[in-house]
Amino acid sequence: MDSGSGNNDALIGGNLNDDQYIDILDFGAYVNQFGVTYASVNTTCATPFFHADINGDGSVGILDYTFISVHFLTFRE
């Protein structure tokens, strides 16, 4: 992450809808994808929206929820 520039567009993992916050909308996306297993941990743009595998283990499960719950409503700097 480039913390020196004023144009830092890096997303916090778990921000599934690109709105700068981990909020109830991200939780809803996670619930919608719960139990999905991706064919590869390296998803492409062809993978249906939302990519809710936050921890990158290939499936959407409880570890992904843990990340959302810990960072819920954490605002960017």
Side-chain angles (χ1 to χ4, degrees), residues 3-77:
S3 60
S5 73
N7 298 340
N8 189 351
D9 292 331
L11 294 175
I12 297 171
N15 182 2
L16 302 175
N17 64 342
D18 194 18
D19 68 353
Q20 298 183 6
Y21 306 105
I22 299 174
D23 55 12
I24 195 69
L25 300 175
D26 299 302
F27 177 73
Y30 159 78
V31 169
N32 183 40
Q33 294 290 305
F34 187 81
V36 170
T37 301
Y38 297 104
S40 169
V41 295
N42 296 319
T43 58
T44 66
C45 292
T47 304
F49 192 68
F50 299 97
H51 299 242
D53 178 22
I54 298 164
N55 69 346
D57 67 355
S59 64
V60 181
I62 195 67
L63 294 176
D64 303 303
Y65 168 74
T66 301
F67 191 90
I68 288 176
S69 68
V70 167
H71 296 286
F72 192 75
L73 292 180
T74 300
F75 295 0
R76 288 178 62 178
E77 49 195 65

